[in-house]
Amino acid sequence: MLLRIVASGASSSELARLAGISPATVTFHTRALRDAKLISSQRHSSVVLHVLTPLGAALLRGTVPSEEASVGPVVPPRL
């Protein structure tokens, strides 16, 4: 859900408001999305703006760039 909201560019506070989640939850999830190279975040004064990376945009389109295709599917860990 956050990835779709970030597609148009959004600040952390916009993400929290639009997704109906706390700012702390936004921080947790945007960190995971950055670690996965799906978004990039840039601080401008007191505002953090999040935008899609090419990989994040490809994921939303349902395509994978060729250099990423060799990585294989992401399999969630078993709990």
Side-chain angles (χ1 to χ4, degrees):
M1 176 178 187
L2 286 183
L3 195 61
R4 289 195 188 282
I5 297 171
V6 171
S8 59
S11 69
S12 294
S13 59
E14 290 171 326
L15 287 174
R17 182 177 52 80
L18 292 169
I21 58 178
S22 72
T25 302
V26 167
T27 299
F28 176 83
H29 287 285
T30 54
R31 181 177 300 131
L33 291 170
R34 270 193 312 276
D35 289 348
K37 299 183 181 358
L38 298 176
I39 67 168
S40 64
S41 304
Q42 188 114 31
R43 178 173 290 281
H44 298 280
S45 188
S46 63
V47 176
V48 179
L49 182 64
H50 309 282
V51 295
L52 291 179
T53 63
L55 180 59
L59 180 65
L60 284 181
R61 285 191 312 270
T63 61
V64 178
S66 60
E67 63 271 6
E68 299 292 333
S70 63
V71 174
V74 176
V75 178
R78 291 184 175 217
L79 299 177

Coordinates of all heavy atoms in Angstrom, one line a residue:
M1 N 0.8 -1.2 0.0 CA 0.0 0.0 0.0 C 0.9 1.3 0.0 O 0.6 2.2 -0.8 CB -0.9 0.0 1.2 CG -1.8 1.2 1.3 SD -2.8 1.0 2.8 CE -3.8 2.5 2.6
L2 N 1.9 1.3 0.9 CA 2.7 2.5 0.9 C 3.5 2.7 -0.4 O 3.6 3.8 -0.9 CB 3.8 2.4 2.0 CG 3.2 2.6 3.4 CD1 4.4 2.6 4.4 CD2 2.5 3.9 3.6
L3 N 3.9 1.6 -1.1 CA 4.6 1.7 -2.3 C 3.7 2.4 -3.4 O 4.2 3.3 -4.1 CB 5.0 0.3 -2.8 CG 6.1 0.3 -3.9 CD1 7.3 1.0 -3.5 CD2 6.4 -1.1 -4.4
R4 N 2.4 2.1 -3.4 CA 1.5 2.8 -4.4 C 1.4 4.3 -4.0 O 1.3 5.1 -4.9 CB 0.2 2.1 -4.4 CG 0.2 0.7 -5.0 CD -1.2 0.3 -5.3 NE -1.2 -1.1 -5.8 CZ -0.8 -1.5 -7.0 NH1 -0.5 -0.6 -7.9 NH2 -0.9 -2.8 -7.3
I5 N 1.3 4.6 -2.8 CA 1.2 6.0 -2.4 C 2.5 6.8 -2.7 O 2.4 7.9 -3.2 CB 0.9 6.1 -0.9 CG1 -0.4 5.5 -0.5 CG2 0.9 7.6 -0.4 CD1 -0.7 5.4 1.0
V6 N 3.6 6.1 -2.6 CA 4.9 6.8 -2.9 C 5.1 7.0 -4.4 O 5.8 7.9 -4.8 CB 6.1 5.9 -2.3 CG1 7.4 6.4 -2.8 CG2 6.1 5.9 -0.8
A7 N 4.3 6.3 -5.2 CA 4.4 6.4 -6.6 C 4.3 7.8 -7.1 O 4.9 8.2 -8.1 CB 3.4 5.5 -7.3
S8 N 3.5 8.6 -6.4 CA 3.4 10.0 -6.8 C 4.2 11.0 -6.0 O 4.2 12.2 -6.1 CB 1.9 10.5 -6.7 OG 1.4 10.3 -5.4
G9 N 5.1 10.4 -5.2 CA 5.9 11.2 -4.3 C 5.1 11.6 -3.0 O 4.0 12.1 -3.2
A10 N 5.7 11.4 -1.9 CA 5.0 11.7 -0.7 C 5.9 11.9 0.5 O 7.0 11.3 0.6 CB 4.0 10.6 -0.3
S11 N 5.5 12.8 1.4 CA 6.3 13.0 2.6 C 5.9 11.9 3.6 O 4.9 11.3 3.5 CB 6.1 14.4 3.2 OG 4.8 14.5 3.7
S12 N 6.7 11.8 4.7 CA 6.4 10.8 5.7 C 5.0 11.1 6.4 O 4.2 10.2 6.6 CB 7.5 10.8 6.8 OG 8.7 10.3 6.3
S13 N 4.7 12.4 6.6 CA 3.5 12.8 7.2 C 2.3 12.5 6.3 O 1.2 12.1 6.7 CB 3.5 14.2 7.7 OG 3.7 15.1 6.6
E14 N 2.5 12.7 4.9 CA 1.5 12.4 4.0 C 1.2 10.9 3.9 O 0.1 10.4 3.9 CB 1.9 12.9 2.6 CG 1.8 14.4 2.4 CD 2.4 14.8 1.1 OE1 3.4 14.2 0.6 OE2 1.9 15.8 0.6
L15 N 2.3 10.1 4.0 CA 2.1 8.6 4.0 C 1.3 8.2 5.2 O 0.4 7.4 5.1 CB 3.5 7.9 4.0 CG 4.3 8.0 2.7 CD1 5.7 7.4 2.9 CD2 3.5 7.2 1.6
A16 N 1.6 8.7 6.4 CA 0.9 8.4 7.6 C -0.5 8.7 7.5 O -1.4 7.9 7.8 CB 1.5 9.1 8.8
R17 N -0.8 9.9 7.0 CA -2.2 10.3 6.9 C -3.0 9.5 5.8 O -4.1 9.0 6.1 CB -2.3 11.8 6.5 CG -3.7 12.4 6.4 CD -3.7 13.9 6.0 NE -2.9 14.3 4.9 CZ -3.2 14.1 3.6 NH1 -4.4 13.6 3.3 NH2 -2.4 14.5 2.6
L18 N -2.4 9.3 4.7 CA -3.1 8.6 3.6 C -3.3 7.1 3.9 O -4.3 6.5 3.5 CB -2.3 8.8 2.3 CG -2.4 10.2 1.7 CD1 -1.4 10.4 0.5 CD2 -3.8 10.6 1.3
A19 N -2.3 6.5 4.6 CA -2.4 5.1 4.9 C -3.1 4.9 6.2 O -3.4 3.7 6.5 CB -1.0 4.5 5.0
G20 N -3.3 5.9 7.0 CA -4.0 5.7 8.3 C -3.1 5.0 9.3 O -3.6 4.2 10.1
I21 N -1.8 5.3 9.3 CA -0.9 4.6 10.2 C -0.1 5.7 11.0 O -0.1 6.9 10.6 CB 0.0 3.6 9.5 CG1 0.8 4.3 8.4 CG2 -0.8 2.4 9.0 CD1 1.8 3.4 7.7
S22 N 0.6 5.3 12.0 CA 1.4 6.2 12.8 C 2.7 6.6 12.1 O 3.2 5.8 11.2 CB 1.7 5.6 14.2 OG 2.7 4.6 14.0
P23 N 3.2 7.8 12.4 CA 4.5 8.2 11.8 C 5.6 7.1 12.1 O 6.5 6.9 11.3 CB 4.8 9.5 12.5 CG 3.5 10.1 12.8 CD 2.7 8.9 13.2
A24 N 5.6 6.5 13.3 CA 6.6 5.5 13.6 C 6.5 4.3 12.7 O 7.5 3.7 12.3 CB 6.5 5.0 15.1
T25 N 5.3 3.9 12.4 CA 5.0 2.8 11.5 C 5.5 3.1 10.1 O 6.1 2.3 9.4 CB 3.5 2.4 11.4 OG1 3.2 2.0 12.8 CG2 3.3 1.2 10.5
V26 N 5.3 4.4 9.6 CA 5.8 4.9 8.3 C 7.3 4.7 8.3 O 7.9 4.2 7.3 CB 5.4 6.3 8.1 CG1 6.1 6.9 6.9 CG2 3.9 6.4 7.8
T27 N 8.0 5.2 9.4 CA 9.4 5.1 9.4 C 9.9 3.6 9.3 O 10.8 3.4 8.5 CB 9.9 5.7 10.8 OG1 9.6 7.1 10.8 CG2 11.4 5.6 10.9
F28 N 9.3 2.7 10.0 CA 9.6 1.3 9.9 C 9.5 0.8 8.5 O 10.4 0.1 8.0 CB 8.7 0.5 10.9 CG 8.9 -1.0 10.8 CD1 10.0 -1.5 11.5 CD2 8.1 -1.8 10.0 CE1 10.2 -2.9 11.5 CE2 8.3 -3.1 10.0 CZ 9.4 -3.7 10.7
H29 N 8.4 1.1 7.9 CA 8.1 0.5 6.5 C 8.9 1.2 5.4 O 9.4 0.5 4.5 CB 6.6 0.6 6.2 CG 5.8 -0.4 7.0 ND1 5.8 -1.7 6.7 CD2 5.0 -0.3 8.1 CE1 5.0 -2.4 7.5 NE2 4.5 -1.5 8.4
T30 N 9.1 2.5 5.6 CA 10.0 3.2 4.5 C 11.4 2.7 4.6 O 12.1 2.6 3.6 CB 9.9 4.7 4.6 OG1 10.2 5.1 6.0 CG2 8.5 5.2 4.2
R31 N 11.9 2.4 5.8 CA 13.2 1.8 6.0 C 13.3 0.5 5.2 O 14.3 0.2 4.5 CB 13.6 1.7 7.4 CG 15.0 1.1 7.6 CD 15.5 1.0 9.0 NE 15.4 2.3 9.7 CZ 14.8 2.6 10.8 NH1 14.2 1.6 11.5 NH2 14.8 3.8 11.4
A32 N 12.3 -0.3 5.4 CA 12.3 -1.6 4.7 C 12.2 -1.5 3.2 O 12.9 -2.2 2.5 CB 11.1 -2.5 5.2
L33 N 11.4 -0.5 2.7 CA 11.3 -0.3 1.3 C 12.7 0.3 0.7 O 13.1 0.0 -0.4 CB 10.2 0.7 1.0 CG 8.8 0.1 1.2 CD1 7.7 1.2 1.1 CD2 8.5 -1.0 0.2
R34 N 13.3 1.2 1.5 CA 14.7 1.7 1.1 C 15.7 0.5 1.1 O 16.5 0.4 0.1 CB 15.1 2.8 2.0 CG 14.7 4.1 1.7 CD 15.5 5.2 2.5 NE 15.5 5.0 3.9 CZ 14.6 5.3 4.7 NH1 13.5 5.9 4.3 NH2 14.7 5.1 6.0
D35 N 15.7 -0.3 2.1 CA 16.6 -1.4 2.1 C 16.4 -2.4 0.9 O 17.4 -3.0 0.4 CB 16.5 -2.2 3.4 CG 17.0 -1.4 4.6 OD1 17.7 -0.4 4.5 OD2 16.7 -1.9 5.8
A36 N 15.2 -2.5 0.5 CA 14.9 -3.3 -0.7 C 15.1 -2.6 -2.0 O 14.9 -3.1 -3.1 CB 13.4 -3.8 -0.6
K37 N 15.5 -1.3 -1.9 CA 15.8 -0.5 -3.1 C 14.6 -0.2 -3.9 O 14.7 0.0 -5.1 CB 16.9 -1.1 -3.9 CG 18.3 -1.2 -3.2 CD 19.4 -1.7 -4.1 CE 20.7 -1.9 -3.4 NZ 20.9 -1.6 -2.1
L38 N 13.4 -0.1 -3.2 CA 12.2 0.2 -3.9 C 11.8 1.7 -3.9 O 11.1 2.1 -4.7 CB 11.0 -0.7 -3.3 CG 11.2 -2.2 -3.5 CD1 10.1 -2.9 -2.8 CD2 11.3 -2.6 -4.9
I39 N 12.3 2.4 -2.9 CA 12.1 3.8 -2.8 C 13.5 4.5 -2.4 O 14.4 3.8 -1.9 CB 11.1 4.2 -1.7 CG1 11.5 3.9 -0.3 CG2 9.7 3.6 -2.0 CD1 10.6 4.5 0.8
S40 N 13.5 5.8 -2.6 CA 14.6 6.6 -2.1 C 14.0 7.7 -1.3 O 12.8 8.1 -1.6 CB 15.5 7.1 -3.2 OG 14.8 8.0 -4.0
S41 N 14.7 8.2 -0.3 CA 14.1 9.2 0.6 C 15.2 10.3 0.7 O 16.4 10.0 0.8 CB 13.9 8.6 2.0 OG 13.0 7.5 1.9
Q42 N 14.7 11.5 0.7 CA 15.6 12.7 0.8 C 15.0 13.7 1.8 O 13.8 14.0 1.8 CB 15.7 13.4 -0.5 CG 16.7 14.4 -0.6 CD 17.8 14.1 -1.5 OE1 17.6 13.4 -2.5 NE2 19.0 14.5 -1.2
R43 N 15.8 14.1 2.7 CA 15.4 15.1 3.7 C 15.5 16.5 3.1 O 16.6 16.8 2.6 CB 16.2 15.0 5.0 CG 15.8 16.0 6.1 CD 16.5 15.8 7.4 NE 15.9 14.6 8.0 CZ 14.8 14.5 8.7 NH1 14.0 15.6 8.8 NH2 14.4 13.4 9.3
H44 N 14.5 17.3 3.3 CA 14.5 18.7 2.9 C 14.0 19.5 4.1 O 12.8 19.5 4.4 CB 13.6 19.0 1.7 CG 14.0 18.3 0.5 ND1 15.0 18.7 -0.4 CD2 13.5 17.1 -0.1 CE1 15.1 17.8 -1.4 NE2 14.2 16.9 -1.2
S45 N 15.0 20.1 4.9 CA 14.7 20.8 6.1 C 14.0 19.8 7.1 O 14.6 18.8 7.5 CB 13.8 22.0 5.8 OG 13.6 22.7 7.0
S46 N 12.8 20.0 7.4 CA 12.1 19.1 8.4 C 11.2 18.0 7.7 O 10.5 17.3 8.4 CB 11.3 19.9 9.4 OG 10.3 20.6 8.7
V47 N 11.3 18.0 6.4 CA 10.4 17.1 5.6 C 11.2 16.0 5.0 O 12.3 16.3 4.4 CB 9.6 17.9 4.6 CG1 8.7 17.0 3.7 CG2 8.7 18.9 5.2
V48 N 10.8 14.8 5.0 CA 11.4 13.7 4.3 C 10.5 13.3 3.2 O 9.3 12.9 3.4 CB 11.7 12.5 5.2 CG1 12.3 11.3 4.4 CG2 12.5 12.8 6.4
L49 N 11.0 13.4 1.9 CA 10.2 13.1 0.7 C 10.7 11.7 0.2 O 11.9 11.4 0.1 CB 10.4 14.1 -0.3 CG 9.7 13.9 -1.6 CD1 8.2 14.0 -1.4 CD2 10.1 14.9 -2.7
H50 N 9.7 10.9 -0.1 CA 9.9 9.5 -0.6 C 9.5 9.4 -2.0 O 8.4 9.9 -2.3 CB 9.2 8.5 0.3 CG 9.4 8.7 1.7 ND1 10.5 8.2 2.4 CD2 8.6 9.2 2.7 CE1 10.5 8.5 3.7 NE2 9.3 9.1 3.9
V51 N 10.3 8.8 -2.9 CA 9.9 8.6 -4.3 C 10.3 7.2 -4.7 O 11.2 6.6 -4.0 CB 10.6 9.6 -5.2 CG1 10.1 11.0 -4.9 CG2 12.1 9.5 -5.1
L52 N 9.7 6.7 -5.7 CA 10.0 5.3 -6.2 C 11.4 5.3 -6.9 O 11.8 6.3 -7.5 CB 9.0 4.9 -7.2 CG 7.6 4.6 -6.8 CD1 6.7 4.1 -7.9 CD2 7.6 3.5 -5.7
T53 N 12.1 4.2 -6.8 CA 13.3 4.0 -7.6 C 12.8 3.3 -8.9 O 11.6 2.9 -9.0 CB 14.3 3.0 -6.8 OG1 13.6 1.8 -6.7 CG2 14.7 3.6 -5.5
P54 N 13.7 3.2 -9.9 CA 13.3 2.4 -11.1 C 12.8 1.0 -10.7 O 11.8 0.5 -11.3 CB 14.5 2.4 -11.9 CG 15.2 3.7 -11.5 CD 15.0 3.8 -10.0
L55 N 13.4 0.4 -9.7 CA 13.0 -1.0 -9.4 C 11.6 -1.0 -8.7 O 10.8 -1.8 -9.0 CB 14.0 -1.6 -8.4 CG 13.7 -3.0 -7.9 CD1 13.6 -4.0 -9.1 CD2 14.8 -3.5 -6.9
G56 N 11.3 0.0 -7.9 CA 10.0 0.2 -7.3 C 8.9 0.4 -8.3 O 7.9 -0.2 -8.3
A57 N 9.2 1.2 -9.3 CA 8.3 1.5 -10.4 C 8.1 0.3 -11.2 O 6.9 0.0 -11.6 CB 8.8 2.7 -11.3
A58 N 9.1 -0.5 -11.5 CA 9.0 -1.7 -12.3 C 8.1 -2.7 -11.5 O 7.3 -3.4 -12.1 CB 10.4 -2.3 -12.6
L59 N 8.3 -2.8 -10.2 CA 7.5 -3.7 -9.4 C 6.0 -3.4 -9.5 O 5.1 -4.2 -9.7 CB 7.9 -3.7 -8.0 CG 7.2 -4.6 -7.0 CD1 7.4 -6.1 -7.4 CD2 7.6 -4.4 -5.6
L60 N 5.7 -2.1 -9.4 CA 4.3 -1.6 -9.5 C 3.7 -1.9 -10.9 O 2.5 -2.2 -11.0 CB 4.1 -0.2 -9.2 CG 4.2 0.2 -7.7 CD1 4.0 1.7 -7.5 CD2 3.2 -0.6 -6.9
R61 N 4.6 -1.8 -11.9 CA 4.1 -2.1 -13.3 C 4.0 -3.6 -13.6 O 3.4 -4.0 -14.5 CB 5.1 -1.5 -14.3 CG 5.0 0.0 -14.5 CD 5.8 0.4 -15.7 NE 7.2 -0.2 -15.8 CZ 8.2 0.4 -15.2 NH1 8.1 1.6 -14.6 NH2 9.4 -0.2 -15.3
G62 N 4.6 -4.4 -12.7 CA 4.6 -5.8 -12.9 C 5.7 -6.3 -13.8 O 5.6 -7.4 -14.3
T63 N 6.7 -5.5 -13.9 CA 7.9 -5.9 -14.7 C 9.1 -5.8 -13.8 O 9.2 -5.2 -12.8 CB 8.1 -5.0 -15.9 OG1 8.3 -3.6 -15.4 CG2 6.9 -5.0 -16.8
V64 N 10.2 -6.5 -14.2 CA 11.4 -6.5 -13.5 C 12.5 -6.2 -14.4 O 12.7 -6.8 -15.5 CB 11.7 -7.9 -12.8 CG1 13.1 -7.9 -12.1 CG2 10.6 -8.3 -11.9
P65 N 13.3 -5.2 -14.1 CA 14.5 -4.8 -15.0 C 15.4 -6.0 -15.2 O 15.5 -6.8 -14.3 CB 15.2 -3.7 -14.3 CG 14.2 -3.1 -13.3 CD 13.3 -4.3 -13.0
S66 N 16.0 -6.2 -16.4 CA 16.8 -7.4 -16.7 C 17.9 -7.6 -15.7 O 18.2 -8.8 -15.4 CB 17.3 -7.3 -18.1 OG 18.1 -6.1 -18.2
E67 N 18.6 -6.6 -15.2 CA 19.7 -6.8 -14.3 C 19.2 -7.3 -12.9 O 19.9 -7.9 -12.2 CB 20.5 -5.5 -14.1 CG 19.8 -4.3 -13.5 CD 19.1 -3.5 -14.5 OE1 19.1 -3.8 -15.7 OE2 18.5 -2.4 -14.1
E68 N 17.9 -7.1 -12.6 CA 17.4 -7.6 -11.4 C 16.8 -9.0 -11.5 O 16.6 -9.7 -10.5 CB 16.3 -6.7 -10.8 CG 16.7 -5.3 -10.5 CD 17.7 -5.2 -9.4 OE1 17.6 -6.1 -8.5 OE2 18.5 -4.3 -9.3
A69 N 16.5 -9.4 -12.7 CA 15.9 -10.7 -13.0 C 16.7 -11.9 -12.5 O 16.1 -12.9 -12.1 CB 15.5 -10.9 -14.5
S70 N 18.0 -11.8 -12.5 CA 18.9 -12.9 -12.1 C 18.8 -13.1 -10.6 O 19.3 -14.1 -10.2 CB 20.3 -12.6 -12.6 OG 20.8 -11.5 -12.0
V71 N 18.3 -12.2 -9.9 CA 18.3 -12.3 -8.4 C 17.3 -13.4 -8.0 O 17.5 -14.1 -7.0 CB 17.9 -11.0 -7.7 CG1 17.7 -11.1 -6.3 CG2 19.0 -9.9 -8.1
G72 N 16.2 -13.6 -8.8 CA 15.2 -14.6 -8.4 C 14.2 -14.0 -7.6 O 14.2 -12.9 -7.1
P73 N 13.2 -14.8 -7.3 CA 12.0 -14.3 -6.5 C 12.4 -14.1 -5.0 O 13.3 -14.8 -4.5 CB 11.0 -15.4 -6.6 CG 11.8 -16.6 -6.9 CD 13.0 -16.2 -7.7
V74 N 11.7 -13.2 -4.4 CA 11.9 -13.0 -3.0 C 11.0 -13.9 -2.2 O 9.8 -13.9 -2.4 CB 11.6 -11.5 -2.6 CG1 11.7 -11.3 -1.1 CG2 12.5 -10.6 -3.3
V75 N 11.6 -14.8 -1.4 CA 10.8 -15.8 -0.7 C 10.8 -15.3 0.8 O 11.8 -15.2 1.4 CB 11.4 -17.2 -0.8 CG1 10.6 -18.2 0.0 CG2 11.5 -17.6 -2.3
P76 N 9.6 -15.1 1.4 CA 9.6 -14.7 2.8 C 10.1 -15.8 3.7 O 9.9 -17.0 3.4 CB 8.1 -14.4 3.0 CG 7.3 -15.0 1.9 CD 8.3 -15.2 0.8
P77 N 10.7 -15.5 4.8 CA 11.2 -16.5 5.7 C 10.0 -17.2 6.4 O 9.0 -16.7 6.6 CB 12.0 -15.7 6.7 CG 11.5 -14.4 6.7 CD 11.0 -14.1 5.2
R78 N 10.3 -18.5 6.7 CA 9.3 -19.2 7.4 C 9.4 -18.9 8.9 O 10.4 -18.7 9.4 CB 9.5 -20.7 7.2 CG 9.2 -21.2 5.9 CD 9.3 -22.7 5.8 NE 8.9 -23.1 4.4 CZ 8.3 -24.2 4.2 NH1 8.0 -25.0 5.1 NH2 7.9 -24.5 3.0
L79 N 8.2 -18.7 9.5 CA 8.2 -18.4 10.9 C 7.9 -19.6 11.8 O 7.4 -20.6 11.4 CB 7.1 -17.3 11.2 CG 7.3 -16.0 10.4 CD1 6.1 -15.1 10.7 CD2 8.6 -15.4 10.8

